[in-house]
Amino acid sequence: TITVLLISCWENDKTTDALKLENTLVKDNKITEILKKKPVMYGKAESFDFNFLEEKEVKKFNITMIVMSADMTCTAEAKLCEEISSFIGGNKLVFSSSEEYALIEEESPEYRMMQKGTIEINDNTYGGTLYYNGKGNNEVVSFHGKLIFDLPSVKLLKGEPLIIEIKGKK
């Protein structure tokens, strides 16, 4: 009975996992390898929302939402670009996250933070990760990052994740 009770309590604790990520140093060679891959697409955030974590000069913040136009630059081969464009169908991509950022190991100075979240395209939702750096103050905030997620509907990706490099300024 005690074992069952402990397992039951452990299951209920999953909702606090996001909070435990706060300021955790993530050290994973897979992340480093993924971040070395070239992006398939480049885009700008039409808009984004964030939460400050420091008051004066902002270097760390949670990105809670990014809205991207379907009008992105594709750098892959033409057939892959056409398939992705056809799938997106001119609709916006929306990344949202309610998690705290986690810090990435020193080997990736270009992207110091990561956040897991969801990407919505055409009423379909996909799990993904945003790797980013940001800076700013009380008046202007900007970020640069890579949004990486699996898009199984696009066959020419051949099981590889879709990598979108994105910039935003507010």
Side-chain angles (χ1 to χ4, degrees), residues 58-69:
V58 181
K59 290 186 179 173
K60 297 175 186 168
F61 53 90
N62 292 318
I63 295 179
T64 56
M65 185 177 72
I66 302 171
V67 177
M68 293 173 278
S69 165

Side-chain angles (χ1 to χ4, degrees), residues 27-37 105 131 148:
K27 196 165 189 170
D28 186 344
N29 291 337
K30 288 180 186 175
I31 291 173
T32 307
E33 290 305 310
I34 287 172
L35 291 176
K36 286 180 184 175
K37 292 184 178 186
E105 65 185 39
Y131 300 91
I148 301 175

Side-chain angles (χ1 to χ4, degrees), residues 66-84:
I66 302 171
V67 177
M68 293 173 278
S69 165
D71 185 25
M72 290 185 261
T73 304
C74 184
T75 58
E77 61 187 47
K79 286 184 179 182
L80 176 56
C81 291
E82 287 173 22
E83 188 176 358
I84 293 169

Side-chain angles (χ1 to χ4, degrees), residues 52 54-61 134-137 141:
F52 283 118
E54 297 175 5
E55 285 301 315
K56 295 180 184 172
E57 207 162 304
V58 181
K59 290 186 179 173
K60 297 175 186 168
F61 53 90
K135 62 181 179 180
N137 55 40
V141 173

